[in-house]
PDB file of all heavy atoms in Angstrom:
ATOM      1  N   THR B  50     -30.496  25.620 -40.636  1.00  0.00           N
ATOM      2  CA  THR B  50     -31.208  24.327 -40.744  1.00  0.00           C
ATOM      3  C   THR B  50     -30.371  23.199 -41.197  1.00  0.00           C
ATOM      4  O   THR B  50     -30.429  22.058 -40.700  1.00  0.00           O
ATOM      5  CB  THR B  50     -32.420  24.569 -41.781  1.00  0.00           C
ATOM      6  OG1 THR B  50     -33.185  25.642 -41.327  1.00  0.00           O
ATOM      7  CG2 THR B  50     -33.202  23.256 -41.982  1.00  0.00           C
ATOM      8  N   GLU B  51     -29.463  23.445 -42.022  1.00  0.00           N
ATOM      9  CA  GLU B  51     -28.677  22.389 -42.588  1.00  0.00           C
ATOM     10  C   GLU B  51     -27.735  21.798 -41.544  1.00  0.00           C
ATOM     11  O   GLU B  51     -27.421  20.555 -41.627  1.00  0.00           O
ATOM     12  CB  GLU B  51     -27.572  23.004 -43.638  1.00  0.00           C
ATOM     13  CG  GLU B  51     -28.366  23.505 -44.949  1.00  0.00           C
ATOM     14  CD  GLU B  51     -28.917  24.897 -44.889  1.00  0.00           C
ATOM     15  OE1 GLU B  51     -28.991  25.307 -43.753  1.00  0.00           O
ATOM     16  OE2 GLU B  51     -29.243  25.459 -45.924  1.00  0.00           O
ATOM     17  N   ASP B  52     -27.372  22.484 -40.535  1.00  0.00           N
ATOM     18  CA  ASP B  52     -26.480  21.961 -39.409  1.00  0.00           C
ATOM     19  C   ASP B  52     -27.186  20.844 -38.607  1.00  0.00           C
ATOM     20  O   ASP B  52     -26.562  20.172 -37.903  1.00  0.00           O
ATOM     21  CB  ASP B  52     -26.079  23.115 -38.441  1.00  0.00           C
ATOM     22  CG  ASP B  52     -25.319  24.183 -39.212  1.00  0.00           C
ATOM     23  OD1 ASP B  52     -24.540  23.848 -40.137  1.00  0.00           O
ATOM     24  OD2 ASP B  52     -25.407  25.375 -38.836  1.00  0.00           O
ATOM     25  N   ILE B  54     -28.685  18.153 -39.574  1.00  0.00           N
ATOM     26  CA  ILE B  54     -28.882  16.936 -40.362  1.00  0.00           C
ATOM     27  C   ILE B  54     -27.648  15.942 -40.229  1.00  0.00           C
ATOM     28  O   ILE B  54     -27.927  14.810 -39.837  1.00  0.00           O
ATOM     29  CB  ILE B  54     -29.182  17.210 -41.794  1.00  0.00           C
ATOM     30  CG1 ILE B  54     -30.458  18.221 -41.869  1.00  0.00           C
ATOM     31  CG2 ILE B  54     -29.469  15.918 -42.512  1.00  0.00           C
ATOM     32  CD1 ILE B  54     -31.643  17.720 -41.294  1.00  0.00           C
ATOM     33  N   PRO B  55     -26.441  16.264 -40.423  1.00  0.00           N
ATOM     34  CA  PRO B  55     -25.508  15.230 -40.671  1.00  0.00           C
ATOM     35  C   PRO B  55     -25.046  14.455 -39.460  1.00  0.00           C
ATOM     36  O   PRO B  55     -25.135  14.980 -38.279  1.00  0.00           O
ATOM     37  CB  PRO B  55     -24.225  16.035 -41.168  1.00  0.00           C
ATOM     38  CG  PRO B  55     -24.731  17.325 -41.647  1.00  0.00           C
ATOM     39  CD  PRO B  55     -25.895  17.627 -40.767  1.00  0.00           C
ATOM     40  N   PRO B  57     -21.682  12.471 -39.099  1.00  0.00           N
ATOM     41  CA  PRO B  57     -20.511  12.016 -39.843  1.00  0.00           C
ATOM     42  C   PRO B  57     -19.726  10.900 -39.210  1.00  0.00           C
ATOM     43  O   PRO B  57     -18.750  10.425 -39.699  1.00  0.00           O
ATOM     44  CB  PRO B  57     -19.587  13.360 -39.826  1.00  0.00           C
ATOM     45  CG  PRO B  57     -19.978  14.038 -38.668  1.00  0.00           C
ATOM     46  CD  PRO B  57     -21.519  13.773 -38.457  1.00  0.00           C
ATOM     47  N   HIS B  91     -47.028  11.125 -33.203  1.00  0.00           N
ATOM     48  CA  HIS B  91     -46.810  10.537 -34.497  1.00  0.00           C
ATOM     49  C   HIS B  91     -46.549   8.995 -34.335  1.00  0.00           C
ATOM     50  O   HIS B  91     -45.536   8.740 -33.557  1.00  0.00           O
ATOM     51  CB  HIS B  91     -45.679  11.330 -35.280  1.00  0.00           C
ATOM     52  CG  HIS B  91     -45.707  10.886 -36.740  1.00  0.00           C
ATOM     53  ND1 HIS B  91     -45.286   9.592 -37.175  1.00  0.00           N
ATOM     54  CD2 HIS B  91     -45.916  11.551 -37.780  1.00  0.00           C
ATOM     55  CE1 HIS B  91     -45.352   9.607 -38.460  1.00  0.00           C
ATOM     56  NE2 HIS B  91     -45.688  10.802 -38.869  1.00  0.00           N
ATOM     57  N   LYS B  93     -44.869   6.984 -35.967  1.00  0.00           N
ATOM     58  CA  LYS B  93     -43.503   6.422 -36.396  1.00  0.00           C
ATOM     59  C   LYS B  93     -42.339   7.053 -35.465  1.00  0.00           C
ATOM     60  O   LYS B  93     -41.201   6.617 -35.598  1.00  0.00           O
ATOM     61  CB  LYS B  93     -43.265   6.705 -37.886  1.00  0.00           C
ATOM     62  CG  LYS B  93     -44.090   5.894 -38.883  1.00  0.00           C
ATOM     63  CD  LYS B  93     -43.408   4.545 -39.244  1.00  0.00           C
ATOM     64  CE  LYS B  93     -44.163   3.731 -40.221  1.00  0.00           C
ATOM     65  NZ  LYS B  93     -44.110   4.160 -41.568  1.00  0.00           N
ATOM     66  N   PHE B  96     -40.295   4.741 -33.339  1.00  0.00           N
ATOM     67  CA  PHE B  96     -39.295   4.064 -34.044  1.00  0.00           C
ATOM     68  C   PHE B  96     -38.084   5.013 -34.312  1.00  0.00           C
ATOM     69  O   PHE B  96     -36.931   4.621 -34.217  1.00  0.00           O
ATOM     70  CB  PHE B  96     -39.835   3.442 -35.366  1.00  0.00           C
ATOM     71  CG  PHE B  96     -38.792   2.767 -36.157  1.00  0.00           C
ATOM     72  CD1 PHE B  96     -38.499   1.467 -36.013  1.00  0.00           C
ATOM     73  CD2 PHE B  96     -38.120   3.515 -37.189  1.00  0.00           C
ATOM     74  CE1 PHE B  96     -37.445   0.767 -36.844  1.00  0.00           C
ATOM     75  CE2 PHE B  96     -37.186   2.813 -37.934  1.00  0.00           C
ATOM     76  CZ  PHE B  96     -36.810   1.606 -37.702  1.00  0.00           C
ATOM     77  N   LEU B  97     -38.496   6.093 -34.911  1.00  0.00           N
ATOM     78  CA  LEU B  97     -37.408   7.057 -35.390  1.00  0.00           C
ATOM     79  C   LEU B  97     -36.554   7.644 -34.224  1.00  0.00           C
ATOM     80  O   LEU B  97     -35.360   7.807 -34.475  1.00  0.00           O
ATOM     81  CB  LEU B  97     -38.115   8.355 -36.028  1.00  0.00           C
ATOM     82  CG  LEU B  97     -38.524   8.167 -37.410  1.00  0.00           C
ATOM     83  CD1 LEU B  97     -39.341   9.374 -37.968  1.00  0.00           C
ATOM     84  CD2 LEU B  97     -37.306   7.864 -38.414  1.00  0.00           C
ATOM     85  N   GLY B 115     -28.340  10.275 -39.701  1.00  0.00           N
ATOM     86  CA  GLY B 115     -28.098  11.444 -40.619  1.00  0.00           C
ATOM     87  C   GLY B 115     -28.792  11.234 -41.965  1.00  0.00           C
ATOM     88  O   GLY B 115     -28.657  12.209 -42.804  1.00  0.00           O
ATOM     89  N   ASP B 116     -29.450  10.276 -42.263  1.00  0.00           N
ATOM     90  CA  ASP B 116     -30.119  10.072 -43.562  1.00  0.00           C
ATOM     91  C   ASP B 116     -31.561  10.421 -43.480  1.00  0.00           C
ATOM     92  O   ASP B 116     -32.200  10.441 -44.512  1.00  0.00           O
ATOM     93  CB  ASP B 116     -30.049   8.485 -43.885  1.00  0.00           C
ATOM     94  CG  ASP B 116     -28.647   7.949 -43.979  1.00  0.00           C
ATOM     95  OD1 ASP B 116     -27.707   8.739 -44.111  1.00  0.00           O
ATOM     96  OD2 ASP B 116     -28.531   6.752 -43.934  1.00  0.00           O
ATOM     97  N   ILE B 117     -31.984  10.781 -42.363  1.00  0.00           N
ATOM     98  CA  ILE B 117     -33.438  11.089 -42.134  1.00  0.00           C
ATOM     99  C   ILE B 117     -33.688  12.530 -42.235  1.00  0.00           C
ATOM    100  O   ILE B 117     -33.417  13.305 -41.310  1.00  0.00           O
ATOM    101  CB  ILE B 117     -33.873  10.447 -40.756  1.00  0.00           C
ATOM    102  CG1 ILE B 117     -33.548   8.982 -40.669  1.00  0.00           C
ATOM    103  CG2 ILE B 117     -35.445  10.676 -40.566  1.00  0.00           C
ATOM    104  CD1 ILE B 117     -34.130   8.025 -41.667  1.00  0.00           C
ATOM    105  N   THR B 118     -34.299  12.984 -43.347  1.00  0.00           N
ATOM    106  CA  THR B 118     -34.549  14.418 -43.502  1.00  0.00           C
ATOM    107  C   THR B 118     -35.839  14.946 -42.988  1.00  0.00           C
ATOM    108  O   THR B 118     -36.008  16.051 -42.632  1.00  0.00           O
ATOM    109  CB  THR B 118     -34.447  14.870 -45.005  1.00  0.00           C
ATOM    110  OG1 THR B 118     -35.418  14.230 -45.720  1.00  0.00           O
ATOM    111  CG2 THR B 118     -33.063  14.412 -45.614  1.00  0.00           C
ATOM    112  N   ARG B 119     -36.821  13.989 -42.916  1.00  0.00           N
ATOM    113  CA  ARG B 119     -38.207  14.327 -42.449  1.00  0.00           C
ATOM    114  C   ARG B 119     -38.423  13.485 -41.187  1.00  0.00           C
ATOM    115  O   ARG B 119     -38.002  12.400 -41.155  1.00  0.00           O
ATOM    116  CB  ARG B 119     -39.288  13.969 -43.482  1.00  0.00           C
ATOM    117  CG  ARG B 119     -38.949  14.372 -44.913  1.00  0.00           C
ATOM    118  CD  ARG B 119     -39.124  15.758 -45.236  1.00  0.00           C
ATOM    119  NE  ARG B 119     -38.814  15.951 -46.598  1.00  0.00           N
ATOM    120  CZ  ARG B 119     -39.741  16.072 -47.520  1.00  0.00           C
ATOM    121  NH1 ARG B 119     -41.022  16.013 -47.243  1.00  0.00           N
ATOM    122  NH2 ARG B 119     -39.335  16.351 -48.799  1.00  0.00           N
ATOM    123  N   PRO B 120     -39.114  13.916 -40.174  1.00  0.00           N
ATOM    124  CA  PRO B 120     -39.712  15.277 -40.082  1.00  0.00           C
ATOM    125  C   PRO B 120     -38.689  16.420 -40.273  1.00  0.00           C
ATOM    126  O   PRO B 120     -37.449  16.212 -39.857  1.00  0.00           O
ATOM    127  CB  PRO B 120     -40.308  15.369 -38.647  1.00  0.00           C
ATOM    128  CG  PRO B 120     -39.516  14.325 -37.801  1.00  0.00           C
ATOM    129  CD  PRO B 120     -39.231  13.176 -38.907  1.00  0.00           C
ATOM    130  N   THR B 121     -39.098  17.579 -40.645  1.00  0.00           N
ATOM    131  CA  THR B 121     -38.197  18.752 -40.801  1.00  0.00           C
ATOM    132  C   THR B 121     -37.803  19.236 -39.366  1.00  0.00           C
ATOM    133  O   THR B 121     -38.419  18.885 -38.385  1.00  0.00           O
ATOM    134  CB  THR B 121     -38.768  19.828 -41.662  1.00  0.00           C
ATOM    135  OG1 THR B 121     -39.979  20.259 -40.849  1.00  0.00           O
ATOM    136  CG2 THR B 121     -39.278  19.327 -42.948  1.00  0.00           C
ATOM    137  N   VAL B 122     -36.787  20.085 -39.403  1.00  0.00           N
ATOM    138  CA  VAL B 122     -36.478  20.746 -38.221  1.00  0.00           C
ATOM    139  C   VAL B 122     -37.654  21.492 -37.554  1.00  0.00           C
ATOM    140  O   VAL B 122     -37.838  21.380 -36.321  1.00  0.00           O
ATOM    141  CB  VAL B 122     -35.261  21.680 -38.365  1.00  0.00           C
ATOM    142  CG1 VAL B 122     -34.880  22.532 -37.207  1.00  0.00           C
ATOM    143  CG2 VAL B 122     -33.983  20.861 -38.806  1.00  0.00           C
ATOM    144  N   ASN B 178     -15.744  20.490 -42.021  1.00  0.00           N
ATOM    145  CA  ASN B 178     -15.961  21.354 -43.076  1.00  0.00           C
ATOM    146  C   ASN B 178     -14.667  22.253 -43.382  1.00  0.00           C
ATOM    147  O   ASN B 178     -14.285  22.893 -42.448  1.00  0.00           O
ATOM    148  CB  ASN B 178     -17.216  22.296 -42.726  1.00  0.00           C
ATOM    149  CG  ASN B 178     -17.688  23.091 -44.015  1.00  0.00           C
ATOM    150  OD1 ASN B 178     -16.957  23.364 -44.743  1.00  0.00           O
ATOM    151  ND2 ASN B 178     -19.054  23.273 -43.875  1.00  0.00           N
ATOM    152  N   PRO B 179     -14.268  22.195 -44.588  1.00  0.00           N
ATOM    153  CA  PRO B 179     -13.038  23.015 -44.898  1.00  0.00           C
ATOM    154  C   PRO B 179     -13.213  24.476 -44.654  1.00  0.00           C
ATOM    155  O   PRO B 179     -12.245  25.237 -44.543  1.00  0.00           O
ATOM    156  CB  PRO B 179     -12.854  22.729 -46.280  1.00  0.00           C
ATOM    157  CG  PRO B 179     -13.568  21.447 -46.683  1.00  0.00           C
ATOM    158  CD  PRO B 179     -14.677  21.410 -45.727  1.00  0.00           C
ATOM    159  N   LEU B 180     -14.527  24.941 -44.599  1.00  0.00           N
ATOM    160  CA  LEU B 180     -14.757  26.346 -44.335  1.00  0.00           C
ATOM    161  C   LEU B 180     -14.558  26.703 -42.828  1.00  0.00           C
ATOM    162  O   LEU B 180     -14.577  27.888 -42.455  1.00  0.00           O
ATOM    163  CB  LEU B 180     -16.190  26.684 -44.685  1.00  0.00           C
ATOM    164  CG  LEU B 180     -16.548  26.490 -46.256  1.00  0.00           C
ATOM    165  CD1 LEU B 180     -18.032  26.969 -46.514  1.00  0.00           C
ATOM    166  CD2 LEU B 180     -15.606  27.158 -47.175  1.00  0.00           C
TER     167      LEU B 180
ATOM    168  N   THR C  46     -35.381  22.171 -47.069  1.00  0.00           N
ATOM    169  CA  THR C  46     -33.942  22.392 -46.857  1.00  0.00           C
ATOM    170  C   THR C  46     -33.148  21.208 -46.408  1.00  0.00           C
ATOM    171  O   THR C  46     -32.042  20.903 -46.858  1.00  0.00           O
ATOM    172  CB  THR C  46     -33.773  23.638 -45.855  1.00  0.00           C
ATOM    173  OG1 THR C  46     -34.426  24.753 -46.315  1.00  0.00           O
ATOM    174  CG2 THR C  46     -32.261  23.951 -45.691  1.00  0.00           C
ATOM    175  N   GLU C  47     -33.805  20.450 -45.492  1.00  0.00           N
ATOM    176  CA  GLU C  47     -33.147  19.286 -44.879  1.00  0.00           C
ATOM    177  C   GLU C  47     -32.865  18.224 -45.974  1.00  0.00           C
ATOM    178  O   GLU C  47     -31.797  17.551 -45.817  1.00  0.00           O
ATOM    179  CB  GLU C  47     -34.003  18.705 -43.888  1.00  0.00           C
ATOM    180  CG  GLU C  47     -34.309  19.447 -42.577  1.00  0.00           C
ATOM    181  CD  GLU C  47     -35.407  20.498 -42.751  1.00  0.00           C
ATOM    182  OE1 GLU C  47     -35.850  20.748 -43.908  1.00  0.00           O
ATOM    183  OE2 GLU C  47     -35.784  21.091 -41.633  1.00  0.00           O
ATOM    184  N   ASP C  48     -33.601  18.164 -46.994  1.00  0.00           N
ATOM    185  CA  ASP C  48     -33.462  17.170 -47.968  1.00  0.00           C
ATOM    186  C   ASP C  48     -32.298  17.394 -48.849  1.00  0.00           C
ATOM    187  O   ASP C  48     -31.766  16.447 -49.589  1.00  0.00           O
ATOM    188  CB  ASP C  48     -34.672  17.152 -48.999  1.00  0.00           C
ATOM    189  CG  ASP C  48     -36.016  16.779 -48.306  1.00  0.00           C
ATOM    190  OD1 ASP C  48     -35.987  16.043 -47.311  1.00  0.00           O
ATOM    191  OD2 ASP C  48     -36.990  17.337 -48.762  1.00  0.00           O
ATOM    192  N   ILE C  50     -29.238  17.790 -47.878  1.00  0.00           N
ATOM    193  CA  ILE C  50     -27.990  17.521 -47.032  1.00  0.00           C
ATOM    194  C   ILE C  50     -27.476  15.996 -47.225  1.00  0.00           C
ATOM    195  O   ILE C  50     -26.227  15.825 -47.476  1.00  0.00           O
ATOM    196  CB  ILE C  50     -28.134  17.944 -45.662  1.00  0.00           C
ATOM    197  CG1 ILE C  50     -28.455  19.471 -45.549  1.00  0.00           C
ATOM    198  CG2 ILE C  50     -26.815  17.749 -44.889  1.00  0.00           C
ATOM    199  CD1 ILE C  50     -27.588  20.313 -46.286  1.00  0.00           C
ATOM    200  N   PRO C  51     -28.182  15.058 -46.873  1.00  0.00           N
ATOM    201  CA  PRO C  51     -27.578  13.773 -46.654  1.00  0.00           C
ATOM    202  C   PRO C  51     -26.954  13.041 -47.831  1.00  0.00           C
ATOM    203  O   PRO C  51     -27.477  13.176 -49.010  1.00  0.00           O
ATOM    204  CB  PRO C  51     -28.716  12.797 -46.147  1.00  0.00           C
ATOM    205  CG  PRO C  51     -29.786  13.781 -45.754  1.00  0.00           C
ATOM    206  CD  PRO C  51     -29.736  14.973 -46.697  1.00  0.00           C
ATOM    207  N   PRO C  53     -26.401   9.087 -48.080  1.00  0.00           N
ATOM    208  CA  PRO C  53     -26.447   7.861 -47.415  1.00  0.00           C
ATOM    209  C   PRO C  53     -25.657   6.706 -48.023  1.00  0.00           C
ATOM    210  O   PRO C  53     -25.556   5.698 -47.386  1.00  0.00           O
ATOM    211  CB  PRO C  53     -27.953   7.522 -47.450  1.00  0.00           C
ATOM    212  CG  PRO C  53     -28.530   8.268 -48.566  1.00  0.00           C
ATOM    213  CD  PRO C  53     -27.677   9.434 -48.872  1.00  0.00           C
ATOM    214  N   HIS C  87     -15.734  31.989 -54.374  1.00  0.00           N
ATOM    215  CA  HIS C  87     -15.346  31.731 -53.032  1.00  0.00           C
ATOM    216  C   HIS C  87     -14.039  30.983 -53.125  1.00  0.00           C
ATOM    217  O   HIS C  87     -13.940  29.916 -53.804  1.00  0.00           O
ATOM    218  CB  HIS C  87     -16.393  30.976 -52.230  1.00  0.00           C
ATOM    219  CG  HIS C  87     -16.103  30.833 -50.720  1.00  0.00           C
ATOM    220  ND1 HIS C  87     -15.071  29.949 -50.332  1.00  0.00           N
ATOM    221  CD2 HIS C  87     -16.636  31.337 -49.731  1.00  0.00           C
ATOM    222  CE1 HIS C  87     -15.014  30.102 -49.036  1.00  0.00           C
ATOM    223  NE2 HIS C  87     -15.927  30.875 -48.579  1.00  0.00           N
ATOM    224  N   LYS C  89     -12.591  28.583 -51.408  1.00  0.00           N
ATOM    225  CA  LYS C  89     -12.658  27.162 -50.945  1.00  0.00           C
ATOM    226  C   LYS C  89     -13.675  26.367 -51.867  1.00  0.00           C
ATOM    227  O   LYS C  89     -13.749  25.100 -51.803  1.00  0.00           O
ATOM    228  CB  LYS C  89     -13.132  26.992 -49.526  1.00  0.00           C
ATOM    229  CG  LYS C  89     -12.045  27.493 -48.597  1.00  0.00           C
ATOM    230  CD  LYS C  89     -11.127  26.402 -48.079  1.00  0.00           C
ATOM    231  CE  LYS C  89     -10.016  26.863 -47.177  1.00  0.00           C
ATOM    232  NZ  LYS C  89     -10.417  26.964 -45.736  1.00  0.00           N
ATOM    233  N   PHE C  92     -12.352  23.569 -53.929  1.00  0.00           N
ATOM    234  CA  PHE C  92     -12.098  22.294 -53.262  1.00  0.00           C
ATOM    235  C   PHE C  92     -13.393  21.554 -52.845  1.00  0.00           C
ATOM    236  O   PHE C  92     -13.498  20.388 -53.014  1.00  0.00           O
ATOM    237  CB  PHE C  92     -11.311  22.578 -52.004  1.00  0.00           C
ATOM    238  CG  PHE C  92     -11.101  21.442 -51.041  1.00  0.00           C
ATOM    239  CD1 PHE C  92      -9.972  20.706 -51.310  1.00  0.00           C
ATOM    240  CD2 PHE C  92     -11.938  21.072 -50.041  1.00  0.00           C
ATOM    241  CE1 PHE C  92      -9.639  19.483 -50.549  1.00  0.00           C
ATOM    242  CE2 PHE C  92     -11.737  19.988 -49.268  1.00  0.00           C
ATOM    243  CZ  PHE C  92     -10.649  19.144 -49.532  1.00  0.00           C
ATOM    244  N   GLY C 111     -21.906  14.521 -47.565  1.00  0.00           N
ATOM    245  CA  GLY C 111     -23.111  14.691 -46.695  1.00  0.00           C
ATOM    246  C   GLY C 111     -22.780  15.340 -45.285  1.00  0.00           C
ATOM    247  O   GLY C 111     -23.631  15.620 -44.551  1.00  0.00           O
ATOM    248  N   ASP C 112     -21.439  15.505 -45.085  1.00  0.00           N
ATOM    249  CA  ASP C 112     -21.106  16.069 -43.747  1.00  0.00           C
ATOM    250  C   ASP C 112     -20.933  17.591 -43.858  1.00  0.00           C
ATOM    251  O   ASP C 112     -20.794  18.286 -42.782  1.00  0.00           O
ATOM    252  CB  ASP C 112     -19.774  15.527 -43.451  1.00  0.00           C
ATOM    253  CG  ASP C 112     -19.669  14.001 -43.253  1.00  0.00           C
ATOM    254  OD1 ASP C 112     -20.836  13.417 -43.114  1.00  0.00           O
ATOM    255  OD2 ASP C 112     -18.642  13.491 -43.323  1.00  0.00           O
ATOM    256  N   ILE C 113     -21.094  18.191 -45.027  1.00  0.00           N
ATOM    257  CA  ILE C 113     -20.902  19.589 -45.240  1.00  0.00           C
ATOM    258  C   ILE C 113     -22.101  20.406 -45.115  1.00  0.00           C
ATOM    259  O   ILE C 113     -22.859  20.386 -46.138  1.00  0.00           O
ATOM    260  CB  ILE C 113     -20.091  19.788 -46.564  1.00  0.00           C
ATOM    261  CG1 ILE C 113     -18.814  18.845 -46.654  1.00  0.00           C
ATOM    262  CG2 ILE C 113     -19.741  21.202 -46.826  1.00  0.00           C
ATOM    263  CD1 ILE C 113     -17.845  19.134 -45.664  1.00  0.00           C
ATOM    264  N   THR C 114     -22.282  21.130 -44.142  1.00  0.00           N
ATOM    265  CA  THR C 114     -23.542  21.907 -43.981  1.00  0.00           C
ATOM    266  C   THR C 114     -23.477  23.345 -44.474  1.00  0.00           C
ATOM    267  O   THR C 114     -24.495  23.883 -44.881  1.00  0.00           O
ATOM    268  CB  THR C 114     -24.051  21.954 -42.453  1.00  0.00           C
ATOM    269  OG1 THR C 114     -23.018  22.774 -41.730  1.00  0.00           O
ATOM    270  CG2 THR C 114     -24.055  20.607 -41.836  1.00  0.00           C
ATOM    271  N   ARG C 115     -22.323  23.840 -44.462  1.00  0.00           N
ATOM    272  CA  ARG C 115     -22.100  25.238 -44.970  1.00  0.00           C
ATOM    273  C   ARG C 115     -21.342  25.059 -46.288  1.00  0.00           C
ATOM    274  O   ARG C 115     -20.315  24.273 -46.307  1.00  0.00           O
ATOM    275  CB  ARG C 115     -21.419  26.101 -44.099  1.00  0.00           C
ATOM    276  CG  ARG C 115     -21.869  25.965 -42.641  1.00  0.00           C
ATOM    277  CD  ARG C 115     -23.159  26.701 -42.304  1.00  0.00           C
ATOM    278  NE  ARG C 115     -23.488  26.461 -40.986  1.00  0.00           N
ATOM    279  CZ  ARG C 115     -23.234  27.424 -40.021  1.00  0.00           C
ATOM    280  NH1 ARG C 115     -22.583  28.587 -40.189  1.00  0.00           N
ATOM    281  NH2 ARG C 115     -23.699  27.221 -38.829  1.00  0.00           N
ATOM    282  N   PRO C 116     -21.459  25.870 -47.290  1.00  0.00           N
ATOM    283  CA  PRO C 116     -22.465  26.980 -47.473  1.00  0.00           C
ATOM    284  C   PRO C 116     -23.790  26.426 -47.323  1.00  0.00           C
ATOM    285  O   PRO C 116     -24.060  25.247 -47.609  1.00  0.00           O
ATOM    286  CB  PRO C 116     -22.243  27.589 -48.774  1.00  0.00           C
ATOM    287  CG  PRO C 116     -21.606  26.502 -49.644  1.00  0.00           C
ATOM    288  CD  PRO C 116     -20.681  25.712 -48.529  1.00  0.00           C
ATOM    289  N   THR C 117     -24.787  27.210 -46.835  1.00  0.00           N
ATOM    290  CA  THR C 117     -26.165  26.792 -46.793  1.00  0.00           C
ATOM    291  C   THR C 117     -26.708  26.616 -48.239  1.00  0.00           C
ATOM    292  O   THR C 117     -26.260  27.083 -49.162  1.00  0.00           O
ATOM    293  CB  THR C 117     -27.038  27.846 -46.035  1.00  0.00           C
ATOM    294  OG1 THR C 117     -26.957  29.047 -46.828  1.00  0.00           O
ATOM    295  CG2 THR C 117     -26.312  28.162 -44.678  1.00  0.00           C
ATOM    296  N   VAL C 118     -27.943  26.013 -48.108  1.00  0.00           N
ATOM    297  CA  VAL C 118     -28.656  25.862 -49.336  1.00  0.00           C
ATOM    298  C   VAL C 118     -28.875  27.246 -50.120  1.00  0.00           C
ATOM    299  O   VAL C 118     -28.672  27.390 -51.282  1.00  0.00           O
ATOM    300  CB  VAL C 118     -29.982  25.065 -49.263  1.00  0.00           C
ATOM    301  CG1 VAL C 118     -30.756  25.132 -50.477  1.00  0.00           C
ATOM    302  CG2 VAL C 118     -29.768  23.706 -48.707  1.00  0.00           C
ATOM    303  N   ASN C 174     -36.145   6.592 -45.309  1.00  0.00           N
ATOM    304  CA  ASN C 174     -36.800   7.104 -44.250  1.00  0.00           C
ATOM    305  C   ASN C 174     -38.133   6.388 -44.013  1.00  0.00           C
ATOM    306  O   ASN C 174     -38.941   6.145 -44.879  1.00  0.00           O
ATOM    307  CB  ASN C 174     -37.207   8.588 -44.719  1.00  0.00           C
ATOM    308  CG  ASN C 174     -37.702   9.382 -43.466  1.00  0.00           C
ATOM    309  OD1 ASN C 174     -38.440   8.867 -42.543  1.00  0.00           O
ATOM    310  ND2 ASN C 174     -37.419  10.694 -43.493  1.00  0.00           N
ATOM    311  N   PRO C 175     -38.280   5.890 -42.797  1.00  0.00           N
ATOM    312  CA  PRO C 175     -39.461   5.080 -42.464  1.00  0.00           C
ATOM    313  C   PRO C 175     -40.778   5.782 -42.693  1.00  0.00           C
ATOM    314  O   PRO C 175     -41.809   5.208 -42.829  1.00  0.00           O
ATOM    315  CB  PRO C 175     -39.298   4.783 -40.909  1.00  0.00           C
ATOM    316  CG  PRO C 175     -37.889   5.026 -40.671  1.00  0.00           C
ATOM    317  CD  PRO C 175     -37.398   6.084 -41.586  1.00  0.00           C
ATOM    318  N   LEU C 176     -40.707   7.096 -42.868  1.00  0.00           N
ATOM    319  CA  LEU C 176     -41.955   7.887 -43.108  1.00  0.00           C
ATOM    320  C   LEU C 176     -42.317   7.846 -44.606  1.00  0.00           C
ATOM    321  O   LEU C 176     -43.378   8.366 -45.012  1.00  0.00           O
ATOM    322  CB  LEU C 176     -41.742   9.351 -42.623  1.00  0.00           C
ATOM    323  CG  LEU C 176     -41.390   9.660 -41.286  1.00  0.00           C
ATOM    324  CD1 LEU C 176     -41.284  11.167 -40.887  1.00  0.00           C
ATOM    325  CD2 LEU C 176     -42.431   9.046 -40.238  1.00  0.00           C
TER     326      LEU C 176
END
Side-chain angles (χ1 to χ4, degrees):
Chain B
T50 301
E51 292 83 348
D52 299 327
I54 305 303
H91 188 290
K93 291 271 178 78
F96 176 87
L97 279 172
D116 301 339
I117 305 300
T118 66
R119 320 280 182 98
T121 63
V122 171
N178 192 327
L180 303 181
Chain C
T46 301
E47 292 83 348
D48 299 327
I50 305 303
H87 188 290
K89 292 270 178 82
F92 176 87
D112 302 339
I113 305 301
T114 65
R115 320 279 182 96
T117 64
V118 172
N174 192 326
L176 303 181

